[in-house]
PDB file of all heavy atoms in Angstrom:
ATOM      1  N   ARG Z   1     -12.026   4.004  -0.010  1.00 98.00           N
ATOM      2  CA  ARG Z   1     -11.287   3.134  -0.922  1.00 98.00           C
ATOM      3  C   ARG Z   1      -9.794   3.251  -0.640  1.00 98.00           C
ATOM      4  O   ARG Z   1      -9.297   4.329  -0.328  1.00 98.00           O
ATOM      5  CB  ARG Z   1     -11.573   3.509  -2.374  1.00 98.00           C
ATOM      6  CG  ARG Z   1     -13.027   3.284  -2.800  1.00 98.00           C
ATOM      7  CD  ARG Z   1     -13.210   3.622  -4.272  1.00 98.00           C
ATOM      8  NE  ARG Z   1     -14.566   3.324  -4.722  1.00 98.00           N
ATOM      9  CZ  ARG Z   1     -15.562   4.193  -4.681  1.00 98.00           C
ATOM     10  NH1 ARG Z   1     -15.356   5.421  -4.222  1.00 98.00           N
ATOM     11  NH2 ARG Z   1     -16.771   3.856  -5.096  1.00 98.00           N
ATOM     12  N   TYR Z   2      -9.088   2.130  -0.792  1.00 98.00           N
ATOM     13  CA  TYR Z   2      -7.638   2.169  -0.611  1.00 98.00           C
ATOM     14  C   TYR Z   2      -6.995   1.109  -1.486  1.00 98.00           C
ATOM     15  O   TYR Z   2      -7.677   0.230  -2.024  1.00 98.00           O
ATOM     16  CB  TYR Z   2      -7.255   1.980   0.857  1.00 98.00           C
ATOM     17  CG  TYR Z   2      -7.618   0.654   1.490  1.00 98.00           C
ATOM     18  CD1 TYR Z   2      -6.675  -0.372   1.586  1.00 98.00           C
ATOM     19  CD2 TYR Z   2      -8.893   0.429   2.009  1.00 98.00           C
ATOM     20  CE1 TYR Z   2      -7.005  -1.586   2.182  1.00 98.00           C
ATOM     21  CE2 TYR Z   2      -9.224  -0.782   2.610  1.00 98.00           C
ATOM     22  CZ  TYR Z   2      -8.283  -1.782   2.696  1.00 98.00           C
ATOM     23  OH  TYR Z   2      -8.603  -2.981   3.294  1.00 98.00           O
ATOM     24  N   GLN Z   3      -5.696   1.229  -1.658  1.00 98.00           N
ATOM     25  CA  GLN Z   3      -4.928   0.281  -2.455  1.00 98.00           C
ATOM     26  C   GLN Z   3      -3.917  -0.437  -1.577  1.00 98.00           C
ATOM     27  O   GLN Z   3      -3.429   0.124  -0.586  1.00 98.00           O
ATOM     28  CB  GLN Z   3      -4.185   1.001  -3.582  1.00 98.00           C
ATOM     29  CG  GLN Z   3      -5.070   1.579  -4.679  1.00 98.00           C
ATOM     30  CD  GLN Z   3      -5.490   0.545  -5.713  1.00 98.00           C
ATOM     31  OE1 GLN Z   3      -4.779  -0.422  -5.956  1.00 98.00           O
ATOM     32  NE2 GLN Z   3      -6.657   0.752  -6.320  1.00 98.00           N
ATOM     33  N   VAL Z   4      -3.587  -1.655  -1.970  1.00 98.00           N
ATOM     34  CA  VAL Z   4      -2.521  -2.407  -1.317  1.00 98.00           C
ATOM     35  C   VAL Z   4      -1.590  -2.928  -2.398  1.00 98.00           C
ATOM     36  O   VAL Z   4      -2.041  -3.570  -3.358  1.00 98.00           O
ATOM     37  CB  VAL Z   4      -3.069  -3.599  -0.499  1.00 98.00           C
ATOM     38  CG1 VAL Z   4      -1.916  -4.368   0.161  1.00 98.00           C
ATOM     39  CG2 VAL Z   4      -4.066  -3.128   0.552  1.00 98.00           C
ATOM     40  N   PHE Z   5      -0.306  -2.624  -2.257  1.00 97.00           N
ATOM     41  CA  PHE Z   5       0.692  -3.233  -3.132  1.00 97.00           C
ATOM     42  C   PHE Z   5       1.102  -4.569  -2.511  1.00 97.00           C
ATOM     43  O   PHE Z   5       1.536  -4.614  -1.355  1.00 97.00           O
ATOM     44  CB  PHE Z   5       1.917  -2.338  -3.283  1.00 97.00           C
ATOM     45  CG  PHE Z   5       3.034  -2.975  -4.072  1.00 97.00           C
ATOM     46  CD1 PHE Z   5       3.005  -2.997  -5.455  1.00 97.00           C
ATOM     47  CD2 PHE Z   5       4.105  -3.587  -3.415  1.00 97.00           C
ATOM     48  CE1 PHE Z   5       4.024  -3.596  -6.189  1.00 97.00           C
ATOM     49  CE2 PHE Z   5       5.122  -4.192  -4.135  1.00 97.00           C
ATOM     50  CZ  PHE Z   5       5.087  -4.203  -5.526  1.00 97.00           C
ATOM     51  N   VAL Z   6       0.944  -5.644  -3.288  1.00 96.00           N
ATOM     52  CA  VAL Z   6       1.312  -6.981  -2.824  1.00 96.00           C
ATOM     53  C   VAL Z   6       2.590  -7.381  -3.544  1.00 96.00           C
ATOM     54  O   VAL Z   6       2.614  -7.458  -4.777  1.00 96.00           O
ATOM     55  CB  VAL Z   6       0.190  -7.993  -3.111  1.00 96.00           C
ATOM     56  CG1 VAL Z   6       0.561  -9.371  -2.572  1.00 96.00           C
ATOM     57  CG2 VAL Z   6      -1.126  -7.515  -2.504  1.00 96.00           C
ATOM     58  N   PRO Z   7       3.666  -7.613  -2.819  1.00 95.00           N
ATOM     59  CA  PRO Z   7       4.951  -7.869  -3.474  1.00 95.00           C
ATOM     60  C   PRO Z   7       4.994  -9.227  -4.153  1.00 95.00           C
ATOM     61  O   PRO Z   7       4.223 -10.143  -3.821  1.00 95.00           O
ATOM     62  CB  PRO Z   7       5.952  -7.811  -2.317  1.00 95.00           C
ATOM     63  CG  PRO Z   7       5.150  -8.189  -1.114  1.00 95.00           C
ATOM     64  CD  PRO Z   7       3.778  -7.621  -1.350  1.00 95.00           C
ATOM     65  N   ALA Z   8       5.905  -9.367  -5.104  1.00 91.00           N
ATOM     66  CA  ALA Z   8       6.156 -10.658  -5.733  1.00 91.00           C
ATOM     67  C   ALA Z   8       6.637 -11.646  -4.675  1.00 91.00           C
ATOM     68  O   ALA Z   8       7.365 -11.278  -3.753  1.00 91.00           O
ATOM     69  CB  ALA Z   8       7.200 -10.511  -6.834  1.00 91.00           C
ATOM     70  N   THR Z   9       6.228 -12.875  -4.806  1.00 85.00           N
ATOM     71  CA  THR Z   9       6.573 -13.880  -3.809  1.00 85.00           C
ATOM     72  C   THR Z   9       8.085 -13.995  -3.631  1.00 85.00           C
ATOM     73  O   THR Z   9       8.591 -14.098  -2.508  1.00 85.00           O
ATOM     74  CB  THR Z   9       5.996 -15.241  -4.211  1.00 85.00           C
ATOM     75  OG1 THR Z   9       4.582 -15.105  -4.395  1.00 85.00           O
ATOM     76  CG2 THR Z   9       6.267 -16.287  -3.146  1.00 85.00           C
ATOM     77  N   ALA Z  10       8.829 -13.942  -4.731  1.00 82.00           N
ATOM     78  CA  ALA Z  10      10.277 -14.109  -4.657  1.00 82.00           C
ATOM     79  C   ALA Z  10      10.972 -12.945  -3.961  1.00 82.00           C
ATOM     80  O   ALA Z  10      12.115 -13.073  -3.507  1.00 82.00           O
ATOM     81  CB  ALA Z  10      10.853 -14.275  -6.057  1.00 82.00           C
ATOM     82  N   ALA Z  11      10.295 -11.793  -3.862  1.00 86.00           N
ATOM     83  CA  ALA Z  11      10.923 -10.613  -3.263  1.00 86.00           C
ATOM     84  C   ALA Z  11      10.784 -10.556  -1.757  1.00 86.00           C
ATOM     85  O   ALA Z  11      11.451  -9.753  -1.102  1.00 86.00           O
ATOM     86  CB  ALA Z  11      10.314  -9.347  -3.869  1.00 86.00           C
ATOM     87  N   THR Z  12       9.922 -11.390  -1.194  1.00 81.00           N
ATOM     88  CA  THR Z  12       9.661 -11.314   0.237  1.00 81.00           C
ATOM     89  C   THR Z  12      10.347 -12.457   0.977  1.00 81.00           C
ATOM     90  O   THR Z  12      10.480 -13.558   0.440  1.00 81.00           O
ATOM     91  CB  THR Z  12       8.148 -11.372   0.522  1.00 81.00           C
ATOM     92  OG1 THR Z  12       7.615 -12.562  -0.062  1.00 81.00           O
ATOM     93  CG2 THR Z  12       7.443 -10.167  -0.071  1.00 81.00           C
ATOM     94  N   PRO Z  13      10.756 -12.219   2.209  1.00 70.00           N
ATOM     95  CA  PRO Z  13      11.378 -13.288   2.987  1.00 70.00           C
ATOM     96  C   PRO Z  13      10.340 -14.321   3.396  1.00 70.00           C
ATOM     97  O   PRO Z  13       9.135 -14.066   3.332  1.00 70.00           O
ATOM     98  CB  PRO Z  13      11.926 -12.533   4.212  1.00 70.00           C
ATOM     99  CG  PRO Z  13      11.058 -11.328   4.328  1.00 70.00           C
ATOM    100  CD  PRO Z  13      10.701 -10.952   2.922  1.00 70.00           C
ATOM    101  N   PRO Z  14      10.780 -15.517   3.817  1.00 64.00           N
ATOM    102  CA  PRO Z  14       9.830 -16.535   4.258  1.00 64.00           C
ATOM    103  C   PRO Z  14       9.011 -16.042   5.452  1.00 64.00           C
ATOM    104  O   PRO Z  14       9.471 -15.230   6.253  1.00 64.00           O
ATOM    105  CB  PRO Z  14      10.731 -17.703   4.666  1.00 64.00           C
ATOM    106  CG  PRO Z  14      12.014 -17.473   3.943  1.00 64.00           C
ATOM    107  CD  PRO Z  14      12.169 -15.982   3.851  1.00 64.00           C
ATOM    108  N   GLY Z  15       7.793 -16.534   5.562  1.00 75.00           N
ATOM    109  CA  GLY Z  15       6.949 -16.158   6.689  1.00 75.00           C
ATOM    110  C   GLY Z  15       6.155 -14.900   6.411  1.00 75.00           C
ATOM    111  O   GLY Z  15       5.954 -14.488   5.271  1.00 75.00           O
ATOM    112  N   ALA Z  16       5.696 -14.276   7.484  1.00 81.00           N
ATOM    113  CA  ALA Z  16       4.889 -13.063   7.365  1.00 81.00           C
ATOM    114  C   ALA Z  16       5.694 -11.940   6.726  1.00 81.00           C
ATOM    115  O   ALA Z  16       6.902 -11.824   6.913  1.00 81.00           O
ATOM    116  CB  ALA Z  16       4.387 -12.632   8.745  1.00 81.00           C
ATOM    117  N   ARG Z  17       4.994 -11.075   5.984  1.00 93.00           N
ATOM    118  CA  ARG Z  17       5.667 -10.035   5.204  1.00 93.00           C
ATOM    119  C   ARG Z  17       5.691  -8.703   5.943  1.00 93.00           C
ATOM    120  O   ARG Z  17       4.742  -8.352   6.643  1.00 93.00           O
ATOM    121  CB  ARG Z  17       4.948  -9.871   3.867  1.00 93.00           C
ATOM    122  CG  ARG Z  17       5.056 -11.087   2.981  1.00 93.00           C
ATOM    123  CD  ARG Z  17       4.193 -10.975   1.743  1.00 93.00           C
ATOM    124  NE  ARG Z  17       2.793 -11.215   2.028  1.00 93.00           N
ATOM    125  CZ  ARG Z  17       1.871 -11.494   1.109  1.00 93.00           C
ATOM    126  NH1 ARG Z  17       2.227 -11.564  -0.158  1.00 93.00           N
ATOM    127  NH2 ARG Z  17       0.619 -11.695   1.435  1.00 93.00           N
ATOM    128  N   PRO Z  18       6.771  -7.934   5.759  1.00 97.00           N
ATOM    129  CA  PRO Z  18       6.755  -6.577   6.299  1.00 97.00           C
ATOM    130  C   PRO Z  18       5.708  -5.731   5.589  1.00 97.00           C
ATOM    131  O   PRO Z  18       5.290  -6.051   4.465  1.00 97.00           O
ATOM    132  CB  PRO Z  18       8.176  -6.066   6.015  1.00 97.00           C
ATOM    133  CG  PRO Z  18       8.695  -6.926   4.928  1.00 97.00           C
ATOM    134  CD  PRO Z  18       8.022  -8.253   5.071  1.00 97.00           C
ATOM    135  N   LEU Z  19       5.285  -4.654   6.249  1.00 98.00           N
ATOM    136  CA  LEU Z  19       4.247  -3.782   5.685  1.00 98.00           C
ATOM    137  C   LEU Z  19       4.638  -2.327   5.902  1.00 98.00           C
ATOM    138  O   LEU Z  19       5.072  -1.943   6.992  1.00 98.00           O
ATOM    139  CB  LEU Z  19       2.896  -4.076   6.329  1.00 98.00           C
ATOM    140  CG  LEU Z  19       1.680  -3.288   5.822  1.00 98.00           C
ATOM    141  CD1 LEU Z  19       0.404  -4.122   5.974  1.00 98.00           C
ATOM    142  CD2 LEU Z  19       1.511  -1.953   6.558  1.00 98.00           C
ATOM    143  N   VAL Z  20       4.467  -1.529   4.859  1.00 98.00           N
ATOM    144  CA  VAL Z  20       4.699  -0.085   4.925  1.00 98.00           C
ATOM    145  C   VAL Z  20       3.355   0.622   4.775  1.00 98.00           C
ATOM    146  O   VAL Z  20       2.648   0.417   3.780  1.00 98.00           O
ATOM    147  CB  VAL Z  20       5.660   0.386   3.810  1.00 98.00           C
ATOM    148  CG1 VAL Z  20       5.842   1.906   3.875  1.00 98.00           C
ATOM    149  CG2 VAL Z  20       7.003  -0.321   3.917  1.00 98.00           C
ATOM    150  N   LEU Z  21       2.985   1.427   5.742  1.00 98.00           N
ATOM    151  CA  LEU Z  21       1.794   2.272   5.649  1.00 98.00           C
ATOM    152  C   LEU Z  21       2.232   3.626   5.109  1.00 98.00           C
ATOM    153  O   LEU Z  21       3.058   4.307   5.717  1.00 98.00           O
ATOM    154  CB  LEU Z  21       1.134   2.435   7.017  1.00 98.00           C
ATOM    155  CG  LEU Z  21      -0.099   3.347   7.075  1.00 98.00           C
ATOM    156  CD1 LEU Z  21      -1.220   2.828   6.189  1.00 98.00           C
ATOM    157  CD2 LEU Z  21      -0.580   3.513   8.515  1.00 98.00           C
ATOM    158  N   PHE Z  22       1.678   4.017   3.951  1.00 98.00           N
ATOM    159  CA  PHE Z  22       2.060   5.265   3.287  1.00 98.00           C
ATOM    160  C   PHE Z  22       0.914   6.270   3.357  1.00 98.00           C
ATOM    161  O   PHE Z  22      -0.215   5.958   2.961  1.00 98.00           O
ATOM    162  CB  PHE Z  22       2.424   5.008   1.827  1.00 98.00           C
ATOM    163  CG  PHE Z  22       2.621   6.274   1.031  1.00 98.00           C
ATOM    164  CD1 PHE Z  22       3.766   7.039   1.196  1.00 98.00           C
ATOM    165  CD2 PHE Z  22       1.647   6.699   0.142  1.00 98.00           C
ATOM    166  CE1 PHE Z  22       3.935   8.209   0.480  1.00 98.00           C
ATOM    167  CE2 PHE Z  22       1.810   7.876  -0.588  1.00 98.00           C
ATOM    168  CZ  PHE Z  22       2.966   8.630  -0.420  1.00 98.00           C
ATOM    169  N   LEU Z  23       1.218   7.474   3.819  1.00 98.00           N
ATOM    170  CA  LEU Z  23       0.231   8.555   3.914  1.00 98.00           C
ATOM    171  C   LEU Z  23       0.555   9.630   2.883  1.00 98.00           C
ATOM    172  O   LEU Z  23       1.640  10.217   2.901  1.00 98.00           O
ATOM    173  CB  LEU Z  23       0.229   9.146   5.326  1.00 98.00           C
ATOM    174  CG  LEU Z  23      -0.016   8.152   6.476  1.00 98.00           C
ATOM    175  CD1 LEU Z  23      -0.056   8.901   7.808  1.00 98.00           C
ATOM    176  CD2 LEU Z  23      -1.292   7.345   6.264  1.00 98.00           C
ATOM    177  N   HIS Z  24      -0.395   9.885   2.019  1.00 98.00           N
ATOM    178  CA  HIS Z  24      -0.190  10.795   0.895  1.00 98.00           C
ATOM    179  C   HIS Z  24      -0.236  12.260   1.326  1.00 98.00           C
ATOM    180  O   HIS Z  24      -0.576  12.602   2.471  1.00 98.00           O
ATOM    181  CB  HIS Z  24      -1.253  10.542  -0.176  1.00 98.00           C
ATOM    182  CG  HIS Z  24      -2.658  10.826   0.288  1.00 98.00           C
ATOM    183  ND1 HIS Z  24      -3.168  12.095   0.425  1.00 98.00           N
ATOM    184  CD2 HIS Z  24      -3.664   9.993   0.661  1.00 98.00           C
ATOM    185  CE1 HIS Z  24      -4.417  12.044   0.834  1.00 98.00           C
ATOM    186  NE2 HIS Z  24      -4.751  10.762   0.995  1.00 98.00           N
ATOM    187  N   GLY Z  25       0.065  13.146   0.366  1.00 98.00           N
ATOM    188  CA  GLY Z  25       0.018  14.586   0.588  1.00 98.00           C
ATOM    189  C   GLY Z  25      -1.301  15.198   0.156  1.00 98.00           C
ATOM    190  O   GLY Z  25      -2.242  14.501  -0.258  1.00 98.00           O
ATOM    191  N   SER Z  26      -1.368  16.528   0.214  1.00 97.00           N
ATOM    192  CA  SER Z  26      -2.619  17.240  -0.060  1.00 97.00           C
ATOM    193  C   SER Z  26      -3.144  16.999  -1.464  1.00 97.00           C
ATOM    194  O   SER Z  26      -4.352  16.937  -1.690  1.00 97.00           O
ATOM    195  CB  SER Z  26      -2.408  18.746   0.150  1.00 97.00           C
ATOM    196  OG  SER Z  26      -2.019  19.025   1.472  1.00 97.00           O
ATOM    197  N   GLY Z  27      -2.256  16.873  -2.443  1.00 97.00           N
ATOM    198  CA  GLY Z  27      -2.675  16.747  -3.828  1.00 97.00           C
ATOM    199  C   GLY Z  27      -3.334  15.433  -4.177  1.00 97.00           C
ATOM    200  O   GLY Z  27      -3.934  15.305  -5.253  1.00 97.00           O
ATOM    201  N   GLU Z  28      -3.230  14.450  -3.284  1.00 98.00           N
ATOM    202  CA  GLU Z  28      -3.779  13.127  -3.579  1.00 98.00           C
ATOM    203  C   GLU Z  28      -5.069  12.831  -2.812  1.00 98.00           C
ATOM    204  O   GLU Z  28      -5.525  11.686  -2.771  1.00 98.00           O
ATOM    205  CB  GLU Z  28      -2.743  12.045  -3.280  1.00 98.00           C
ATOM    206  CG  GLU Z  28      -1.545  12.064  -4.205  1.00 98.00           C
ATOM    207  CD  GLU Z  28      -0.582  13.206  -3.904  1.00 98.00           C
ATOM    208  OE1 GLU Z  28      -0.095  13.310  -2.759  1.00 98.00           O
ATOM    209  OE2 GLU Z  28      -0.325  14.023  -4.831  1.00 98.00           O
ATOM    210  N   ARG Z  29      -5.674  13.855  -2.221  1.00 98.00           N
ATOM    211  CA  ARG Z  29      -6.932  13.655  -1.510  1.00 98.00           C
ATOM    212  C   ARG Z  29      -8.060  13.348  -2.487  1.00 98.00           C
ATOM    213  O   ARG Z  29      -8.004  13.719  -3.658  1.00 98.00           O
ATOM    214  CB  ARG Z  29      -7.268  14.889  -0.677  1.00 98.00           C
ATOM    215  CG  ARG Z  29      -6.342  15.083   0.505  1.00 98.00           C
ATOM    216  CD  ARG Z  29      -6.655  16.338   1.308  1.00 98.00           C
ATOM    217  NE  ARG Z  29      -6.289  17.567   0.599  1.00 98.00           N
ATOM    218  CZ  ARG Z  29      -6.296  18.774   1.139  1.00 98.00           C
ATOM    219  NH1 ARG Z  29      -6.682  18.929   2.404  1.00 98.00           N
ATOM    220  NH2 ARG Z  29      -5.944  19.835   0.450  1.00 98.00           N
ATOM    221  N   GLY Z  30      -9.097  12.669  -1.999  1.00 98.00           N
ATOM    222  CA  GLY Z  30     -10.232  12.346  -2.849  1.00 98.00           C
ATOM    223  C   GLY Z  30     -10.928  11.091  -2.364  1.00 98.00           C
ATOM    224  O   GLY Z  30     -10.800  10.705  -1.190  1.00 98.00           O
ATOM    225  N   ASP Z  31     -11.653  10.421  -3.274  1.00 97.00           N
ATOM    226  CA  ASP Z  31     -12.370   9.201  -2.895  1.00 97.00           C
ATOM    227  C   ASP Z  31     -12.223   8.100  -3.936  1.00 97.00           C
ATOM    228  O   ASP Z  31     -12.948   7.105  -3.906  1.00 97.00           O
ATOM    229  CB  ASP Z  31     -13.846   9.494  -2.644  1.00 97.00           C
ATOM    230  CG  ASP Z  31     -14.563  10.060  -3.870  1.00 97.00           C
ATOM    231  OD1 ASP Z  31     -13.929  10.138  -4.961  1.00 97.00           O
ATOM    232  OD2 ASP Z  31     -15.746  10.411  -3.753  1.00 97.00           O
ATOM    233  N   ASP Z  32     -11.262   8.256  -4.866  1.00 97.00           N
ATOM    234  CA  ASP Z  32     -11.091   7.255  -5.911  1.00 97.00           C
ATOM    235  C   ASP Z  32     -10.213   6.086  -5.484  1.00 97.00           C
ATOM    236  O   ASP Z  32     -10.223   5.032  -6.119  1.00 97.00           O
ATOM    237  CB  ASP Z  32     -10.524   7.886  -7.180  1.00 97.00           C
ATOM    238  CG  ASP Z  32      -9.118   8.459  -6.983  1.00 97.00           C
ATOM    239  OD1 ASP Z  32      -8.680   8.602  -5.818  1.00 97.00           O
ATOM    240  OD2 ASP Z  32      -8.469   8.773  -7.997  1.00 97.00           O
ATOM    241  N   GLY Z  33      -9.446   6.261  -4.422  1.00 97.00           N
ATOM    242  CA  GLY Z  33      -8.552   5.224  -3.960  1.00 97.00           C
ATOM    243  C   GLY Z  33      -7.293   5.065  -4.783  1.00 97.00           C
ATOM    244  O   GLY Z  33      -6.403   4.286  -4.423  1.00 97.00           O
TER     245      GLY Z  33
END
């Protein structure tokens, strides 16, 4: 399971959107997403 934050339309530039891949630390391991 994973989550995606989708930005508000007004906050993103025209066209394709930039993307940040975030890797959590040890305390956030699990399977709840």
Side-chain angles (χ1 to χ4, degrees):
R1 295 183 176 90
Y2 63 97
Q3 291 278 331
V4 180
F5 175 80
V6 182
T9 304
T12 56
R17 294 173 283 197
L19 182 151
V20 178
L21 178 61
F22 171 75
L23 304 183
H24 63 76
S26 300
E28 292 75 57
R29 290 178 288 189
D31 60 5
D32 64 346

